[in-house]
Amino acid sequence: MYPRTNHLYRSEHCQGCPLCRECTRSRKGRTMNICHDLERQKGIVRENMATERGQELMIQRSIQSEGTFGQLKEDYSYTRLRRRGKDGVEFELWMVAAGHNIRHYCNRKSQMKERSSHLN
C-alpha cells in the first residue's frame, strides 16, 4: 500500500445554471474526488495489460481464480459477505477459502480411492 492523497474538485458554475437539476441532484453542484497517484497506477496497469504477456496472465487468472469464485457463487450459493469491517471480512474470506480447499481435498481423495479400487 502507499499513502493516497485525494483531491476534491467542486464546480462553482452550477449555482446559477438552469440545467443544474438535470445534471446533478446535489444542491452544491458537481463534485469529483480524484486520487492522481491511483489514476497513474491504473494507467500503468492498462499499459501492462495491453501487452501480450499481460493478456496471457489475465487468461491464466480467469482459468485459475475466477472458476473458484464461480463455484462458490453458483454451486454453494455464496453471494454475499455476512460480516462487516476489515477484520470480519478477512476472517470470513479465510473461512470460505479453507472450506473450499477442504472440500476440494476430500473430493480429490475420494476420486483417488475410486481409481485405486477400480485397478484392484
Side-chain angles (χ1 to χ4, degrees):
M1 296 244 350
Y2 57 91
R4 294 194 321 188
T5 304
N6 290 339
H7 298 275
L8 180 65
Y9 298 98
R10 180 174 289 142
S11 174
E12 297 174 5
H13 303 291
C14 292
Q15 292 174 350
C17 180
L19 301 175
C20 183
R21 286 194 176 155
E22 294 175 24
C23 183
T24 181
R25 288 185 234 152
S26 174
R27 293 180 188 149
K28 299 175 184 174
R30 283 212 175 257
T31 60
M32 291 175 53
N33 194 357
I34 298 176
C35 177
H36 294 292
D37 295 330
L38 181 60
E39 294 300 320
R40 199 173 307 114
Q41 290 290 334
K42 286 180 184 179
I44 293 169
V45 169
R46 282 188 207 103
E47 288 175 12
N48 289 339
M49 294 309 303
T51 65
E52 193 173 313
R53 176 73 176 137
Q55 290 173 358
E56 288 175 16
L57 290 172
M58 278 306 289
I59 289 170
Q60 283 300 317
R61 176 179 181 238
S62 68
I63 292 169
Q64 294 173 1
S65 64
E66 299 297 331
T68 302
F69 288 114
Q71 284 178 349
L72 291 173
K73 287 168 66 176
E74 286 295 318
D75 299 345
Y76 305 111
S77 301
Y78 189 79
T79 57
R80 111 179 335 191
L81 295 167
R82 282 141 179 94
R83 301 190 192 289
R84 294 183 183 195
K86 183 180 177 198
D87 292 338
V89 168
E90 278 186 18
F91 174 74
E92 186 172 344
L93 289 175
W94 277 110
M95 294 303 290
V96 168
H100 177 76
N101 289 339
I102 290 169
R103 190 179 302 114
H104 189 74
Y105 172 77
C106 290
N107 288 341
R108 287 287 173 117
K109 195 167 184 175
S110 68
Q111 287 174 357
M112 296 293 278
K113 198 180 248 186
E114 286 178 17
R115 284 184 192 150
S116 66
S117 67
H118 288 296
L119 295 175
N120 292 334

